[in-house]
Amino acid sequence: MTDTSLPGAAAPATATLLDTAYRRIFWRLIPILMVLWVLAWVDRVNISFAKLQMADELRFSEAVYGLGAGIFYIGYLLFEVPSNLLLQRIGARKTIARIAIGWGTICALMSYATTPATFYILRFLLGAFEAGFFPGVILFLTQWFPSERRAKVFGIFMSSVALSGVIGGPLAGQIMTGMQGMGGLSGWQWLFIVEGIPTVLIGLFALAWLTDRLEQAHWLSDAERSAVRDDLERDARALGPREHGLSTVLRDPRLWIFTLVYFCIIIANATVAFWGPTIMREAGFGHVATIGWLVSGASLVGSAVMIGNGLMADRTGRPLLQCVGSLIVGALGLAGVAFALHGSPQMVVVLFSLALAGAYGAIPVFWQLPNRLFAGTAAAAGIAIINSFGNLGGFLAPYGLGLLKDATGQIAPGLIAVALVEALAALIILVVVQRFFAGRRA
């Protein structure tokens, strides 16, 4: 009988085996990674809700809050690359557990941040302990899923950022109002304690649950492990030559262009994350619990967009254009918030939801781009460099907006500036990044 199968196409039986294996890998790894990423973002941005009480109680200025919120990213920057290189040596299981236990402990200790100096130190340490988690997970997942399945997986995993807002907003409002004064502590202090302890416990569980390498995945059958290994090797060959060396990738201008784009994306991301509750208060919503639910609703929209973007990128194979589209939507939404801030509160909520969806939705499709150009040690260090230096935008945005608000009494000028930065990122992708994929589909 003549073989009519397409070159390189998997036989139906193999395709079915692969689908089953990847489903098992997904359900083994992604739920716990999502829980940890939700907790990471809850523990990272709960300061935006705590601010609604602690700023008045401790007489922190907007600039003090902004510096404390942003200094997290300085610790993140200094320890990001070492953490990701350590992951290659000791494995994802120990690295992820170490990170989670460390940042959960620091989050609980934030309840003692009653002076600016203590506030800055603990926020710096929170960043230092969390450093390496996100790029480590991205690198980890590339070792388990081929490129044509990654955008969906990345999108679902990264939707945890928006889900953290869905969960974190109402939870923060409930804790801060319901536990105010309990045991002689303020509501904002209980917020840090209640949200820090579960992270430590989940980190301990991750140590026993995660698997470092495919060869160690005894929860897969021998046939499934073999099929996945062959599929990952096929994917590596299909992607063609990619940069592997550390010293070479550091001299590669593409790495630094990606870093600049991600820096702009994170400026927008940090703005909606750390200033969302303040924007809602500026729009006229006064009750902490109400603000929590409004941010939760906007985050739910963002979560849906992140997952949808990932699914569409896998289907179309065009993450670059989807990243541009998300950034444009986010820029328009943020600019709209600035102009509507003291007009219609309902319109502010709608526009803020668009701004959040755009800022968050760009992230999973962005990470498809460098992963198509770098591999091995270059990927480990490159992802960490892009993430750590790019996350300096997370330092600039909260601190810069705090300084502007102290100087002008308004947040709108800062929001317009961030919208322009987001539009700049879209322009760089269209004009510069697109050239990196000449002859390739991106």
Side-chain angles (χ1 to χ4, degrees):
M1 181 180 292
T2 303
D3 184 0
T4 59
S5 62
L6 294 173
T14 303
T16 301
L17 183 64
L18 281 172
D19 287 340
T20 301
Y22 284 126
R23 274 197 301 271
R24 295 186 69 181
I25 292 170
F26 178 93
W27 288 110
R28 177 76 183 198
L29 302 181
I30 299 302
I32 186 171
L33 295 175
M34 286 186 69
V35 169
L36 285 170
W37 197 218
V38 166
L39 292 172
W41 267 87
V42 165
D43 293 348
R44 182 189 299 191
V45 306
N46 55 14
I47 189 67
S48 65
F49 290 96
K51 171 183 181 282
L52 301 178
Q53 287 182 351
M54 72 185 297
D56 292 334
E57 182 179 321
L58 303 177
R59 299 183 180 179
F60 285 178
S61 68
E62 298 288 351
V64 167
Y65 164 73
L67 179 58
I71 206 170
F72 166 95
Y73 292 97
I74 302 299
Y76 205 87
L77 167 68
L78 295 176
F79 291 92
E80 183 92 323
V81 174
S83 180
N84 225 32
L85 292 176
L86 181 63
L87 180 146
Q88 278 207 310
R89 293 179 62 88
I90 69 173
R93 183 176 62 88
K94 292 179 182 177
T95 299
I96 290 171
R98 169 188 61 79
I99 289 171
I101 293 166
W103 98 60
T105 301
I106 297 298
C107 178
L109 291 175
M110 281 289 298
S111 59
Y112 292 96
T114 54
T115 67
T118 308
F119 181 43
Y120 299 151
I121 291 169
L122 288 172
R123 285 290 298 178
F124 175 87
L125 290 175
L126 187 68
F129 274 102
E130 193 186 310
F133 179 80
F134 176 78
V137 169
I138 294 300
L139 179 64
F140 182 49
L141 292 178
T142 63
Q143 297 167 355
W144 289 89
F145 295 95
S147 57
E148 67 269 15
R149 296 178 186 258
R150 285 177 197 157
K152 179 177 70 175
V153 173
F154 286 176
I156 293 172
F157 165 68
M158 294 178 197
S159 69
S160 309
V161 173
L163 285 174
S164 70
V166 176
I167 298 167
L171 181 62
Q174 185 62 40
I175 293 171
M176 290 170 65
T177 55
M179 301 184 72
Q180 174 67 21
M182 187 180 298
L185 299 177
S186 298
W188 65 267
Q189 291 175 299
W190 279 115
L191 177 65
F192 292 126
I193 294 170
V194 171
E195 293 186 345
I197 292 173
T199 304
V200 175
L201 299 177
I202 299 295
L204 290 170
F205 175 74
L207 190 61
W209 184 255
L210 291 176
T211 305
D212 284 323
R213 297 187 301 276
L214 177 63
E215 295 76 16
Q216 299 171 336
H218 301 300
W219 35 270
L220 293 173
S221 69
D222 291 342
E224 287 168 340
R225 284 198 301 274
S226 178
V228 170
R229 182 175 57 253
D230 292 345
D231 194 42
L232 292 173
E233 291 173 354
R234 171 207 56 81
D235 182 57
R237 291 192 298 271
L239 287 173
R242 291 182 292 167
E243 186 53 60
H244 285 258
L246 174 59
S247 61
T248 305
V249 77
L250 291 175
R251 298 191 301 270
D252 192 328
R254 297 175 302 179
L255 174 72
W256 302 106
I257 294 295
F258 280 131
T259 302
L260 175 60
V261 170
Y262 197 59
F263 176 82
C264 296
I265 292 174
I266 293 300
I267 284 178
N269 187 281
T271 297
V272 296
F274 288 108
W275 287 92
T278 300
I279 288 170
M280 294 302 168
R281 176 169 279 182
E282 291 276 321
F285 300 100
H287 197 272
V288 174
T290 301
I291 292 171
W293 281 108
L294 290 171
V295 173
S296 174
S299 299
L300 188 60
V301 174
S303 179
V305 170
M306 292 183 88
I307 295 173
N309 266 6
L311 290 169
M312 191 177 297
D314 277 345
R315 187 171 296 117
T316 65
R318 304 303 295 268
L320 188 147
L321 293 179
Q322 285 178 243
C323 190
V324 170
S326 292
L327 289 169
I328 292 172
V329 168
L332 292 174
L334 212 51
V337 169
F339 288 107
L341 198 53
H342 299 294
S344 166
Q346 292 77 17
M347 183 58 67
V348 170
V349 173
V350 172
L351 291 168
F352 177 74
S353 298
L354 286 176
L356 188 147
Y360 285 2
I363 294 177
V365 285
F366 166 83
W367 281 109
Q368 274 287 79
L369 303 177
N371 276 314
R372 294 188 177 196
L373 297 177
F374 306 120
T377 301
I383 291 170
I385 288 168
I386 293 168
N387 194 58
S388 55
F389 281 95
N391 268 301
L392 284 178
F395 169 76
L396 179 63
Y399 188 38
L401 263 68
L403 289 174
L404 276 173
K405 192 169 188 299
D406 273 345
T408 66
Q410 299 181 20
I411 197 173
L415 297 180
I416 293 172
V418 173
L420 291 173
V421 168
E422 206 167 358
L424 175 63
L427 183 63
I428 294 172
I429 293 173
L430 280 175
V431 175
V432 182
V433 173
Q434 192 160 217
R435 297 179 183 175
F436 300 162
F437 299 93
R440 304 189 192 190
R441 186 175 177 83

